Amino acid sequence: MARPRKPLLSRERIVTTASALVDAEGLAAVSTRRLAAELGVSGPSLYNHFRNKDEILDAVADAVSAQIDLSMFDEDDARDWRTALHDWAVSYRSALTDHPNIVPVLAQGPGRRPAGLRVADAVFGGMVRAGWPPAQATYIGALMRYFITGSALGSFARGFVEDETAYDPADYPHLGQAHLLAERQQQVDEGAFETGLGALVDGLALQYEAVRRLRR
């Protein structure tokens, strides 16, 4: 009997396997040797598709960027810039919270990653089309990336231990309920994100009106 053929090695298989490793074990788990073992191939065969580990992590990061919804910035989309910015930010954060271990790579910026550059292009284009000057549109893109990636780098709620005795009222008179934060992680973290996002968009709306007045 003929031996069953192994699936052909491809960029997609490498990225899928690397992404699963990053999700499960973190960035440090990814090496060409480990990936080759997971894929059942020799290490050198990976170099037919990627030059090094950094290129593989870039591809994993770009695959996450490709999950971000950009439809709100289409020219025929009816959403105004405030709603578009909000909806995009929610989609962006959702992609990052599904893959939190890759966030440090994404936080470095898009570099040459195609999907990451499409995100930057869509946001910048949407803001300029809405009437923002190009410089301010650039600032908005940077501001939103700082806020969204920062919110996905860690959990505020999970940073508090569940041991009530850690919060002696003599030392921390205002942290009597802090031990409950960890068990309410999703509620706290999502509530904080929405509060911050709303404040950012509302503040930008005030600046937008000031820009419009100057242009009259």
Side-chain angles (χ1 to χ4, degrees), residues 18-19 22 43 58 62 71 78 87 91 97 106 110 113 125 133 175 185:
S19 181
V22 172
D58 261 356
D62 214 38
S71 64
D87 293 352
S91 176
T97 53
L106 282 162
R113 301 180 207 128
L175 296 182
Q185 177 200 336

Side-chain angles (χ1 to χ4, degrees), residues 16-37:
T16 299
T17 302
S19 181
L21 273 177
V22 172
D23 285 346
E25 301 180 35
L27 295 172
V30 179
S31 68
T32 52
R33 179 180 296 181
R34 175 74 184 276
L35 281 173

Side-chain angles (χ1 to χ4, degrees), residues 86-146:
H86 174 277
D87 293 352
W88 166 72
V90 170
S91 176
Y92 191 172
R93 181 176 181 270
S94 177
L96 298 193
T97 53
D98 285 344
H99 306 280
N101 292 334
I102 199 65
V103 173
V105 179
L106 282 162
Q108 297 171 10
R112 295 178 180 271
R113 301 180 207 128
L117 289 170
R118 282 193 290 272
V119 172
D121 181 75
V123 177
F124 179 80
M127 295 302 98
V128 170
R129 195 164 52 248
W132 283 98
Q136 274 76 18
T138 300
Y139 302 155
I140 291 170
L143 166 68
M144 298 305 291
R145 182 162 67 84
Y146 299 153

Side-chain angles (χ1 to χ4, degrees), residues 18 28 44 48 51 80 84 109 113 115 126 140 150 181 192 198 201 206 208 215:
N48 293 325
R51 288 183 297 180
D80 62 22
R113 301 180 207 128
I140 291 170
L181 290 173
V201 174
L206 294 176
Y208 183 75
R215 288 185 164 185

Side-chain angles (χ1 to χ4, degrees), residues 34 41 48 64 71 73 84 115-116 126 142 149 154 191 194 216:
R34 175 74 184 276
V41 300
N48 293 325
V64 173
S71 64
F73 297 119
T149 56
E194 281 291 344
R216 288 173 187 167

Side-chain angles (χ1 to χ4, degrees), residues 1-16:
M1 291 180 62
R3 293 181 179 178
R5 295 180 62 187
K6 291 182 179 178
L8 292 175
L9 190 61
S10 64
R11 286 180 64 92
E12 183 180 359
R13 279 192 69 211
I14 295 169
V15 171
T16 299

